[in-house]
Structures are given as C-alpha cells and as structure tokens.
Amino acid sequence: MQNLTLNNGVTMPALGFGVFQTPPDVTEQAVTTALQSGYRLIDTAAAYANEREVGNAIRNSGLPRDEVFVETKVWISDYGYDQTLNAFDKSAGKLGVETIDLFILHQALPGRLDLTLEAYRALETLLADGKVRAIGVSNFMPEHLDALLKQASVVPAVNQVEVHPYFTQPAVQAADAARGILTQAWSPIGGITSYRGTGTSTFDDPSITAIATAHGKTPAQVMLRWHLQQGRSAIPKSVRPQRIAENIDVFDFQLTPAELEALDALDTGTRGGPEPDAITLEAFGRDIPEA
C-alpha cells in the first residue's frame, strides 16, 4: 500500500474504502471483506448512518486499532462549536473508538458561515486534545477555503471532493495544493456518472477502456491508478467482493504520461453531486442520532 503524509506529519493509506450509500445491513460484511483484501483506510460519515457497522467490522477484524485509519465526517445539522464537539462523541461512540484518525466537516454551509467556522474551531479543539489525529473538510470550494483560513489556526489536512476523469475540479485541486491540503477523491472511479449521468459512464468511456486493455486491467483500476500517480487519495466503494479486491490491485502497473494526460482531457466540467453553494440546513438538514 502506498502511504501519503498529511500536512501535520500523520501518514495515511493513499487508497481507502468508502461506504457512501452502503446500507447498514451490508456495511459490516463489505468492510470486513475490504480489510481482508488489504484496505487499511475506511471512510464513513455520520450522515451515512453506518458508522456502527463500520466499527463492528474493524473491531471484529482482529487487526490492531492502530493499523486501521478511520475517517468520518460531521453532518451540517451538527455544526456549531458545542454541537460539533458532541458530534465527535456520537461518531466515536458508534464506531467504538476513542480516537478518530481523520475527522472532517462534510460540507461547507455557505449561508451559515458562522456555524461552519464554529464547527471547524471544535475540530481544532479535538485535535489539540488528542481526540483526533488530523482534521479536514469535504466539498469545500476555493472560496470556502479562503473564508475558513481567515479565521482557522490549523490548515485542513484533507479536502474530500468529487474527482473522477469526467469531473477533475482543477481549480479546487490547485487551491488545495497551494495550501498544503491533500485532495481526496470521492466517487473516484466515476460511479456517480452511472446513476446520475445523462451520457456515457466512465466505465464505458472508449479512452479509459483502451488504456485498461493495454495494461490488462479494468477501467476502475486505471482510474484509481490515475489518482495515485497524481498524488491524490481515493476512496472507491463497492459491496461486491470481486470488485473490492480488484480496486486495491492497482500497485503493479504504471500509466504513462500520455495516458495520464488522456484521462485529464476527459473532464466535462459537469458535477455529479449537489452544488456546494446549494447546501442549506433547510434543504439538507437531518437529525443525527446519539450513539
């Protein structure tokens, strides 16, 4: 496994396993399979409603706690200083851990910048208290980072955003790099283009399939290799054991510079997820139960 060093010196696996939209009743088995396949970074979120099952799988894996890097996210309904401190207690309780390796804000809340800033201040407190090893954000655009860093004392270690060959977000990646923030890709193999797209999915793209054929790999493996060679973290998801194993089998080949450029050139500029500035408590707020 390739590792990445965050801006505070903490190391984490470059390739992780995500559980977005994975139902709780299949999450534990999926994470168990992932850990058996060699994944050591598991990404979840309070809003996914499957933190408890992720924790069960990690605890029952037999692996030492310090061998599994656990990442989870605070939902916008729990923004605010005291609310976010309590969000940590909820997530840690469900995961069954004392320390969360990477704790991040799930979205910017542009209309309530005050709550966003107070939530991040709580992350800084948790970091100082040793309850989390690194802190970060998700779905933050450059302007959101600018607003945050005007008041924050700790630069986020990670910004988790939608990145795949059809949507590369070069401005966000550049903003992250300029600030020493690691870009972590969600929907890294463009799964979102299969269920929200209106045209070809990344899995069927002729350029990607041609590169895959040339290397004797799958399109998904090619896309994950693209992320790793460009220095990003990626967190693919699947519930199928074969796919879970395939997605981590990406360390035995190299894409050429021309192949990397060909993948970069596929960017359509079309976002699959919600527009960051459309995130409001009224539209997206939901209660996150206590542990």
Side-chain angles (χ1 to χ4, degrees), residues 25-220:
D25 61 343
V26 298
T27 295
E28 186 169 345
Q29 183 55 56
V31 174
T32 296
T33 300
L35 293 171
Q36 291 171 343
S37 299
Y39 293 85
R40 292 296 181 266
L41 163 61
I42 308 297
D43 172 81
T44 183
Y48 299 170
N50 57 17
E51 288 174 307
R52 199 177 309 277
E53 291 74 20
V54 167
N56 289 343
I58 293 171
R59 190 164 48 256
N60 294 330
S61 70
L63 292 167
R65 170 66 188 90
D66 62 3
E67 287 190 17
V68 183
F69 192 98
V70 181
E71 173 179 356
T72 193
K73 313 175 193 69
V74 184
W75 188 240
I76 58 172
S77 304
D78 284 336
Y79 282 11
Y81 185 76
D82 291 333
Q83 297 95 317
T84 299
L85 292 178
N86 186 53
F88 169 85
D89 292 335
K90 292 194 283 190
S91 286
K94 291 169 188 172
L95 288 163
V97 300
E98 293 184 2
T99 304
I100 292 172
D101 297 293
L102 177 59
F103 201 40
I104 67 181
L105 302 185
H106 204 143
Q107 300 273 357
L109 198 52
R112 292 300 309 271
L113 182 61
D114 57 326
L115 290 177
T116 306
L117 295 175
E118 285 297 289
Y120 193 79
R121 186 166 68 88
L123 297 193
E124 293 177 325
T125 296
L126 292 165
L127 181 67
D129 290 347
K131 293 185 176 181
V132 301
R133 297 176 62 225
I135 60 177
V137 295
S138 180
N139 301 305
F140 271 53
M141 299 297 99
E143 62 271 21
H144 304 143
L145 293 174
D146 287 342
L148 177 69
L149 292 173
K150 285 180 181 177
Q151 296 197 29
S153 59
V154 177
V155 176
V158 167
N159 186 13
Q160 184 187 116
V161 293
E162 180 184 352
V163 181
H164 48 78
Y166 282 6
F167 190 60
T168 63
Q169 303 212 71
V172 175
Q173 291 199 59
D176 290 345
R179 295 160 177 78
I181 301 169
L182 174 69
T183 297
Q184 184 177 62
W186 65 257
S187 196
I189 55 180
I192 199 166
T193 66
S194 296
Y195 61 88
R196 287 188 187 166
T198 56
T200 304
S201 82
T202 52
F203 302 106
D204 300 321
D205 184 273
S207 296
I208 299 174
T209 56
I211 295 170
T213 299
H215 288 276
K217 291 290 184 177
T218 67

